Protein backbone atom coordinates (compact mmCIF):
# COMPACT_ATOMS: atom_id res chain seq x y z
CA UNK A 1 0.00 0.00 0.00
CA UNK A 2 1.25 3.46 -0.92
CA UNK A 3 0.86 5.11 2.47
CA UNK A 4 0.26 8.86 2.44
CA UNK A 5 0.99 11.37 5.19
CA UNK A 6 -0.86 14.62 5.74
CA UNK A 7 1.38 17.63 5.14
CA UNK A 8 0.80 20.66 7.36
CA UNK A 9 2.18 24.17 7.81
CA UNK A 10 3.64 25.55 11.06
CA UNK A 11 0.13 26.41 12.29
CA UNK A 12 -1.05 22.82 11.80
CA UNK A 13 -3.21 23.56 8.77
CA UNK A 14 -3.41 20.82 6.15
CA UNK A 15 -1.63 21.77 2.92
CA UNK A 16 -1.62 18.44 1.06
CA UNK A 17 -0.51 14.82 1.16
CA UNK A 18 2.61 12.94 0.12
CA UNK A 19 3.88 9.38 0.08
CA UNK A 20 5.32 8.64 3.55
CA UNK A 21 8.90 7.75 2.57
CA UNK A 22 9.15 10.73 0.21
CA UNK A 23 8.03 13.09 2.99
CA UNK A 24 10.76 11.66 5.23
CA UNK A 25 13.37 11.95 2.48
CA UNK A 26 12.44 15.60 1.87
CA UNK A 27 11.98 16.44 5.56
CA UNK A 28 8.53 17.96 5.02
CA UNK A 29 6.34 18.81 8.00
CA UNK A 30 3.53 16.27 8.42
CA UNK A 31 1.04 15.01 11.00
CA UNK A 32 2.02 12.28 13.44
CA UNK A 33 0.98 10.97 16.83
CA UNK A 34 2.64 9.23 19.76
CA UNK A 35 0.61 6.98 22.06
CA UNK A 36 1.90 6.44 25.59
CA UNK A 37 0.07 3.98 27.82
CA UNK A 38 0.68 4.05 31.56
CA UNK A 39 -0.42 2.45 34.79
CA UNK A 40 -0.11 3.49 38.41
CA UNK A 41 1.82 1.36 40.86
CA UNK A 42 2.16 1.80 44.59
CA UNK A 43 5.21 4.06 44.24
CA UNK A 44 5.21 5.56 40.76
CA UNK A 45 3.89 5.39 37.23
CA UNK A 46 4.94 2.72 34.75
CA UNK A 47 4.90 3.24 30.99
CA UNK A 48 4.53 0.65 28.26
CA UNK A 49 7.47 1.14 25.89
CA UNK A 50 8.25 -0.62 22.65
CA UNK A 51 11.60 -1.33 21.08
CA UNK A 52 11.33 -0.60 17.38
CA UNK A 53 11.99 -3.56 15.09
CA UNK A 54 15.37 -3.87 13.37
CA UNK A 55 13.61 -3.87 9.97
CA UNK A 56 12.15 -0.35 10.44
CA UNK A 57 13.48 2.20 7.95
CA UNK A 58 14.54 4.57 10.73
CA UNK A 59 15.13 4.54 14.49
CA UNK A 60 15.46 0.75 14.41
CA UNK A 61 16.27 -0.90 17.71
CA UNK A 62 15.41 2.25 19.69
CA UNK A 63 13.06 2.29 22.68
CA UNK A 64 10.09 4.56 22.21
CA UNK A 65 6.55 5.27 23.37
CA UNK A 66 3.90 2.55 23.17
CA UNK A 67 3.22 3.20 19.49
CA UNK A 68 3.44 6.01 16.97
CA UNK A 69 2.57 6.64 13.38
CA UNK A 70 0.68 8.99 11.08
CA UNK A 71 -3.06 9.52 10.78
CA UNK A 72 -4.56 8.79 7.41
CA UNK A 73 -6.37 11.46 5.40
CA UNK A 74 -9.59 12.39 7.26
CA UNK A 75 -8.71 10.15 10.24
CA UNK A 76 -8.50 11.73 13.70
CA UNK A 77 -5.30 11.21 15.64
CA UNK A 78 -7.30 9.38 18.32
CA UNK A 79 -8.77 6.88 15.85
CA UNK A 80 -5.33 6.48 14.28
CA UNK A 81 -3.89 5.77 17.74
CA UNK A 82 -6.52 3.09 18.36
CA UNK A 83 -5.76 1.55 14.93
CA UNK A 84 -1.99 1.52 15.40
CA UNK A 85 -2.16 0.01 18.91
CA UNK A 86 -3.86 -2.99 17.30
CA UNK A 87 -1.54 -3.10 14.27
CA UNK A 88 1.77 -2.67 16.10
CA UNK A 89 1.27 -4.49 19.39
CA UNK A 90 -2.08 -6.23 19.20
CA UNK A 91 -3.79 -4.09 21.82
CA UNK A 92 -7.52 -3.91 21.28
CA UNK A 93 -10.04 -2.37 23.62
CA UNK A 94 -8.25 0.95 24.14
CA UNK A 95 -10.86 3.12 22.45
CA UNK A 96 -10.10 6.43 20.82
CA UNK A 97 -12.18 8.25 23.44
CA UNK A 98 -10.00 6.88 26.27
CA UNK A 99 -7.01 8.98 25.15
CA UNK A 100 -6.11 12.23 26.81
CA UNK A 101 -4.88 14.38 23.92
CA UNK A 102 -2.03 16.45 25.37
CA UNK A 103 -1.72 18.58 22.26
CA UNK A 104 1.13 18.70 19.80
CA UNK A 105 4.71 19.78 19.37
CA UNK A 106 6.82 20.19 16.26
CA UNK A 107 10.24 18.64 16.00
CA UNK A 108 12.78 18.07 13.28
CA UNK A 109 15.64 15.58 13.40
CA UNK A 110 18.08 14.09 10.94
CA UNK A 111 17.98 10.30 10.98
CA UNK A 112 19.95 7.45 9.46
CA UNK A 113 19.62 6.51 5.76
CA UNK A 114 19.40 10.17 4.69
CA UNK A 115 15.95 10.49 6.25
CA UNK A 116 14.52 13.30 8.34
CA UNK A 117 11.65 13.51 10.79
CA UNK A 118 9.75 16.78 10.67
CA UNK A 119 6.51 16.18 12.48
CA UNK A 120 3.63 17.89 14.18
CA UNK A 121 3.34 15.15 16.80
CA UNK A 122 0.18 14.78 18.90
CA UNK A 123 0.66 13.07 22.28
CA UNK A 124 -2.07 10.61 23.26
CA UNK A 125 -1.97 9.35 26.85
CA UNK A 126 -4.13 6.62 28.41
CA UNK A 127 -4.23 4.84 31.76
CA UNK A 128 -4.37 1.12 30.92
CA UNK A 129 -3.48 -1.00 33.97
CA UNK A 130 -4.71 -4.33 32.58
CA UNK A 131 -3.73 -4.45 28.93
CA UNK A 132 -2.57 -7.50 26.98
CA UNK A 133 -0.33 -7.21 23.97
CA UNK A 134 1.26 -9.28 21.21
CA UNK A 135 4.09 -7.84 19.16
CA UNK A 136 3.96 -7.46 15.40
CA UNK A 137 7.58 -8.41 14.51
CA UNK A 138 7.51 -6.07 11.50
CA UNK A 139 7.03 -3.17 13.92
CA UNK A 140 8.34 -4.13 17.37
CA UNK A 141 11.17 -6.31 18.72
CA UNK A 142 10.36 -5.96 22.43
CA UNK A 143 7.76 -4.39 24.68
CA UNK A 144 8.06 -3.79 28.43
CA UNK A 145 6.63 -1.79 31.30
CA UNK A 146 9.28 0.71 32.44
CA UNK A 147 9.10 2.62 35.72
CA UNK A 148 9.16 6.40 35.59
CA UNK A 149 12.43 6.42 37.57
CA UNK A 150 14.11 3.92 35.22
CA UNK A 151 13.16 6.00 32.18
CA UNK A 152 14.45 9.19 33.80
CA UNK A 153 17.72 7.48 34.73
CA UNK A 154 18.23 6.07 31.21
CA UNK A 155 17.40 9.42 29.58
CA UNK A 156 20.29 10.92 31.56
CA UNK A 157 22.77 8.03 31.39
CA UNK A 158 21.97 6.43 28.04
CA UNK A 159 19.75 8.72 25.91
CA UNK A 160 20.85 7.12 22.62
CA UNK A 161 18.73 4.03 23.35
CA UNK A 162 15.56 6.10 22.79
CA UNK A 163 13.96 7.51 19.64
CA UNK A 164 14.60 11.22 19.07
CA UNK A 165 11.00 12.19 19.89
CA UNK A 166 10.61 10.07 23.03
CA UNK A 167 12.12 12.49 25.56
CA UNK A 168 9.64 15.22 24.61
CA UNK A 169 6.66 12.83 24.64
CA UNK A 170 7.67 11.42 28.03
CA UNK A 171 8.39 14.86 29.56
CA UNK A 172 5.01 16.24 28.50
CA UNK A 173 3.24 13.14 29.84
CA UNK A 174 5.02 13.43 33.20
CA UNK A 175 4.12 17.13 33.47
CA UNK A 176 0.47 16.32 32.72
CA UNK A 177 0.37 13.45 35.25
CA UNK A 178 1.88 15.74 37.91
CA UNK A 179 -1.14 18.04 37.52
CA UNK A 180 -3.43 15.07 38.25
CA UNK A 181 -1.48 14.21 41.40
CA UNK A 182 -2.15 17.71 42.77
CA UNK A 183 -5.93 17.35 42.47
Amino acid sequence: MNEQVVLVNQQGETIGTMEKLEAHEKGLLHLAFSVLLYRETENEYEFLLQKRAECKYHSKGKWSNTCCSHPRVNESVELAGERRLAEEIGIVGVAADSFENLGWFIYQAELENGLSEHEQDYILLANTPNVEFTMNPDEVSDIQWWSESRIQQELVNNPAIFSVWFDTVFSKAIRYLATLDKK
Side-chain angles (χ1 to χ4, degrees):
M1 184 173 124
N2 184 8
E3 191 172 343
Q4 300 284 308
V5 295
V6 177
L7 301 176
V8 294
N9 62 21
Q10 291 289 323
Q11 292 73 43
E13 301 163 335
T14 299
I15 58 172
T17 62
M18 182 175 283
E19 192 276 326
K20 180 172 78 169
L21 187 56
E22 182 181 1
H24 286 96
E25 289 169 341
K26 293 181 175 179
L28 298 179
L29 182 60
H30 58 277
L31 285 180
F33 63 88
S34 294
V35 172
L36 188 57
L37 303 183
Y38 73 97
R39 64 185 181 190
E40 296 179 62
T41 66
E42 193 172 304
N43 299 319
E44 61 186 328
Y45 293 107
E46 291 183 334
F47 298 87
L48 190 60
L49 303 188
Q50 68 156 273
K51 189 173 188 182
R52 293 170 59 87
E54 290 296 328
C55 60
K56 298 291 278 182
Y57 64 93
H58 73 77
S59 305
K60 54 184 117 192
K62 302 273 187 184
W63 284 100
S64 198
N65 41 280
T66 313
C67 80
C68 55
S69 191
H70 309 92
R72 294 178 177 152
V73 175
N74 298 320
E75 179 183 41
S76 73
V77 291
E78 293 84 3
L79 285 174
E82 179 181 353
R83 173 178 54 82
R84 288 303 290 172
L85 278 173
E87 293 171 356
E88 288 187 26
I89 53 179
I91 293 178
V92 294
V94 177
D97 62 1
S98 66
F99 292 121
E100 185 67 39
N101 186 329
L102 303 186
W104 53 269
F105 66 100
I106 292 177
Y107 75 98
Q108 187 167 13
E110 297 304 315
L111 304 170
E112 68 272 24
N113 302 327
L115 300 176
S116 173
E117 282 285 31
H118 192 189
E119 295 186 334
Q120 178 190 13
D121 192 8
Y122 282 85
I123 302 169
L124 304 176
L125 187 66
N127 186 349
T128 55
N130 300 313
V131 66
E132 294 182 19
F133 47 85
T134 53
M135 295 183 300
N136 175 346
D138 292 332
E139 299 286 343
V140 180
S141 64
D142 196 3
I143 187 160
Q144 297 177 15
W145 287 102
W146 287 49
S147 68
E148 178 182 344
S149 58
R150 177 182 175 202
I151 293 170
Q152 290 172 333
Q153 181 180 17
E154 291 295 341
L155 282 169
V156 170
N157 296 332
N158 203 5
I161 67 170
F162 296 103
S163 65
V164 296
W165 59 89
F166 177 73
D167 187 19
T168 302
V169 171
F170 177 70
S171 296
K172 289 182 180 289
I174 290 299
R175 281 197 297 277
Y176 172 78
L177 291 171
T179 67
L180 298 181
D181 291 341
K182 293 177 184 172
K183 292 180 181 177

